[in-house]
Amino acid sequence: AAPLTTPLLTQLASHLCRVLPLSASAEELDPLLEALQRLQKPVAVRVRLADRLRLCVTLPTLLALAPTRRPREAVQRMLLASMLKAARQSTAKQEPLLDFAVACFIHFLAHLDPFLEECRAPVSAYPLSSKVSSLFAEALLRCEPGKNMELAAVALRVCNRVRYFEDRERPGSDEIHKAASVLRHVVEKHCPELGKRGAELLQGGERGSMPAELFAIRQDGGEIGTAGAAPLAPPQPEPIALGGSTGA
């Protein structure tokens, strides 16, 4: 199968960002929901786990922009299922798939038209970007009951790590750093109890890796002096469909 590219994902997202706010009823979005559900199911064509996970944790979050509640609830269940599978596979395969999911979402957010419009505004609270990020954060924090602080810490460690990197496709731009700040604010809002153990849980987060297809080490003199803060290839075990059995 051909690899998923940022231009393709961005083009799909741009189209959805235009049409979602115009949908008059939940029924109009049923074909889209069915298509998103198919992303989670095993398919005959072998698909890279990295590409499947990237799709499953990004495109569905755009339903946060839908004017009706039912589609948002449907995609939240999809996101929960994808996060749970990624968490189980992380344990089984000893690979940081949740870190990878968070990094993919930050990169995705940084390329969204509503986010870029909010970036260009003289002053902005990033309302649309925060809505999209909230759908992602809620699914991440709820995917493993009783572990919301640990899961919040995963997201915040990746957000902190972004400062050592730049967007591979937009070198020199600061959109991914602003996107990481939006997600950080949303996660902290959803998990206020993190403050009590925040420093402990976030310790050492800058030493992780980032998907090399999406991120590169900053070349502008930014802080990159911590050992291990280098972009590594995204997790690529034997190609499987994320919607299949995890063995966990």
Side-chain angles (χ1 to χ4, degrees):
L4 176 67
T5 65
T6 296
L8 175 59
L9 185 58
T10 301
Q11 185 176 10
L12 289 171
S14 295
H15 177 69
L16 290 178
C17 286
R18 288 193 300 270
V19 302
L20 281 172
L22 303 178
S23 56
S25 67
E27 289 71 22
E28 291 183 7
L29 298 177
D30 284 344
L32 173 61
L33 293 174
E34 292 173 4
L36 292 174
Q37 285 177 330
R38 285 197 294 271
L39 292 176
Q40 298 181 308
K41 298 179 180 179
V43 292
V45 178
R46 292 167 71 84
V47 179
R48 292 197 318 160
L49 173 60
D51 287 347
R52 177 62 62 87
L53 180 56
R54 185 182 177 191
L55 275 171
C56 287
V57 301
T58 55
L59 275 183
T61 64
L62 295 181
L63 271 292
L65 304 178
T68 54
R69 181 177 178 179
R70 184 166 66 84
R72 296 196 297 269
E73 293 176 342
V75 296
Q76 187 172 65
R77 291 191 293 271
M78 295 182 206
L79 287 166
L80 275 169
S82 295
M83 296 290 188
L84 178 57
K85 290 180 185 294
R88 288 176 175 174
Q89 288 178 327
S90 293
T91 301
K93 299 176 181 295
Q94 295 297 300
E95 293 177 336
L97 295 181
L98 288 178
D99 292 58
F100 177 74
V102 175
C104 287
F105 176 77
I106 291 172
H107 190 269
F108 174 75
L109 182 65
H111 287 252
L112 284 185
D113 292 340
F115 171 81
L116 295 174
E117 291 173 7
E118 291 170 345
C119 280
R120 290 191 289 267
V123 178
S124 177
Y126 294 86
L128 296 180
S129 303
S130 295
K131 287 180 68 174
V132 174
S133 298
S134 288
L135 204 56
F136 176 88
E138 288 170 5
L140 175 65
L141 299 183
R142 292 173 53 195
C143 73
E144 291 192 284
K147 295 185 178 181
N148 61 317
M149 280 207 297
E150 290 82 356
L151 294 165
V154 169
L156 295 184
R157 283 196 294 267
V158 177
C159 289
N160 289 346
R161 196 179 305 149
V162 167
R163 71 183 185 272
Y164 295 99
F165 296 84
E166 64 183 5
D167 190 333
R168 182 170 292 280
E169 305 208 14
R170 295 176 179 170
S173 69
D174 63 352
E175 282 92 354
I176 61 166
H177 308 109
K178 291 180 178 179
S181 294
V182 171
L183 181 60
R184 180 188 298 111
H185 175 75
V186 168
V187 170
E188 290 174 344
K189 184 177 179 180
H190 279 78
C191 192
E193 64 271 26
L194 187 66
K196 299 177 181 178
R197 295 181 55 199
E200 173 192 347
L201 292 172
L202 296 179
Q203 189 172 6
E206 70 277 1
R207 290 195 290 271
S209 62
M210 298 289 273
E213 295 176 2
L214 309 180
F215 296 88
I217 293 178
R218 289 177 60 177
Q219 300 298 320
D220 61 356
E223 288 185 87
I224 55 173
T226 304
L232 303 179
Q236 294 183 40
E238 288 299 311
I240 61 173
L242 186 60
S245 172
T246 63

